[in-house]
Amino acid sequence: MDAKANVNAPILGDHANLGPPEVADSTTDEIYKDATDISCPVCGKGHDLLTHAVPWLSKGAQKIYTCSEEHAQLVFNDPTSYVAAQTSSNAFCFSGAASKPTGSVMFNGFQLAIGDDSTCLLLFFQSWVLSSAVKYAFAFVGVVALAMSLEGFGELRDHIQKQLLQRYDVVVTHSDYVSVSTPPARTNGDNLLSLESSVIKPSSVLPEKSNLTVVRRLPWPYKFMLAVLYVVHLVLGYWVMLAVMTYETLMFVAVIVGLGLGFAVFKDTDSDTLKGSIDPCCSS
């Protein structure tokens, strides 16, 4: 999550909102310990010799590392001369100071991950940082295709299930029978009594009809196949949900466009009823 502290610090220069210099070790810093390509912006000393830093408050926990307190003070006094030395920011978005681009997996409310002052978007995996326009464009198209596949895969599941039921299902019936026994031989007098007793009286209750239940069952290999398809469908749904939960505006638009196109392309709108769930994270 892209969390930034709520601080009141002076704006120094055109690019940075900086805190006072402090002692820091880049080799033990969780964010910068692998950023071996950074150096002191004043003298150029390497990663292992950086002992002080100027906190870059507007960028959360990021810092501008220097080799000494004196150089840290120079950066603090004139940040616009040095701030570009330790960042991999480009014209598209801010991707951190490490050798590998970094980004945010979830923003604080809907916003665009485009612009020099905007943090790059990290989509799904750590290496998928959308730090350029080309990467962002591919990600947008990919999310549209992902949302379309959610709709299409649901239709595929329904089709496969119908085909399996038609070809391989086993019909099992259950019914309740009323037992009928042969009455014993009767005399003429008994026949009159029997005839009288056979007349249905208002207080008598007719026996219920027998129940017939038809159960259609698939052999277990085909049940397992349907279970696998169900799990794959859920995975697609949760990926779509995660794309929305980045709170990146255009990724949300990509999901909506993809779901709409998927409905138009794959759904049978001429059928009597439309099946499926409108909840992308739990479509079944």
Side-chain angles (χ1 to χ4, degrees):
M1 182 179 293
D2 183 27
K4 297 180 181 179
N6 183 16
V7 296
N8 294 319
I11 302 296
L12 301 177
D14 298 329
H15 298 86
N17 187 2
L18 304 179
E22 61 185 28
V23 177
D25 187 355
S26 62
T27 60
T28 59
D29 191 310
E30 288 296 326
I31 297 177
Y32 289 90
K33 64 181 181 180
D34 296 325
T36 56
D37 60 332
I38 64 174
S39 59
C40 176
V42 179
C43 65
K45 289 185 178 180
H47 177 264
D48 296 337
L49 301 176
L50 304 180
T51 58
H52 290 72
V54 178
W56 196 347
L57 300 177
S58 63
K59 297 298 182 182
Q62 299 185 38
K63 303 178 179 70
I64 301 176
Y65 271 93
T66 64
C67 64
S68 65
E69 183 178 3
E70 179 183 359
H71 287 180
Q73 191 64 45
L74 289 175
V75 172
F76 180 77
N77 294 335
D78 188 13
T80 56
S81 299
Y82 305 104
V83 69
Q86 285 192 325
T87 69
S88 56
S89 178
N90 52 55
F92 189 76
C93 62
F94 181 81
S95 56
S99 57
K100 295 182 179 180
T102 59
S104 175
V105 72
M106 182 185 294
F107 292 104
N108 296 329
F110 281 103
Q111 57 186 280
L112 285 173
I114 299 175
D116 189 47
D117 293 332
S118 300
T119 304
C120 294
L121 175 64
L122 190 156
L123 186 64
F124 299 145
F125 304 102
Q126 290 187 355
S127 59
W128 291 12
V129 179
L130 310 184
S131 56
S132 68
V134 174
K135 292 179 180 179
Y136 193 95
F138 273 105
F140 184 90
V141 174
V143 171
V144 170
L146 177 64
M148 289 183 64
S149 69
L150 181 66
E151 294 291 336
F153 197 84
E155 293 299 303
L156 177 64
R157 275 185 56 212
D158 290 341
H159 176 73
I160 292 177
Q161 183 173 357
K162 290 178 182 178
Q163 293 297 317
L164 292 177
L165 287 174
Q166 290 176 2
R167 297 182 183 183
Y168 304 109
D169 69 321
V170 178
V171 178
V172 180
T173 60
H174 301 280
S175 58
D176 299 329
Y177 297 96
V178 178
S179 60
V180 179
S181 58
T182 303
R186 299 177 182 273
T187 63
N188 291 334
D190 292 336
N191 290 336
L192 292 176
L193 293 174
S194 176
L195 180 61
E196 181 181 353
S197 62
S198 64
V199 177
I200 299 176
K201 298 179 181 180
S203 60
S204 63
V205 179
L206 292 175
E208 296 182 357
K209 295 182 179 180
S210 60
N211 296 322
L212 179 63
T213 304
V214 178
V215 180
R216 306 182 69 178
R217 295 178 178 173
L218 282 172
W220 71 265
Y222 302 111
K223 285 186 177 181
F224 180 77
M225 180 190 302
L226 292 177
V228 172
L229 293 176
Y230 175 75
V231 170
V232 173
H233 200 191
L234 281 183
V235 170
L236 292 175
Y238 280 114
W239 275 353
V240 169
M241 180 188 69
L242 290 174
V244 172
M245 290 182 64
T246 61
Y247 289 97
E248 208 283 334
T249 304
L250 289 183
M251 290 300 114
F252 177 77
V253 172
V255 169
I256 300 303
V257 171
L259 291 176
L261 290 176
F263 180 90
V265 172
F266 298 111
K267 287 290 184 180
D268 182 11
T269 55
D270 296 329
S271 62
D272 295 334
T273 58
L274 292 178
K275 297 182 179 180
S277 171
I278 61 172
D279 186 354
C281 77
C282 307
S283 295
S284 59

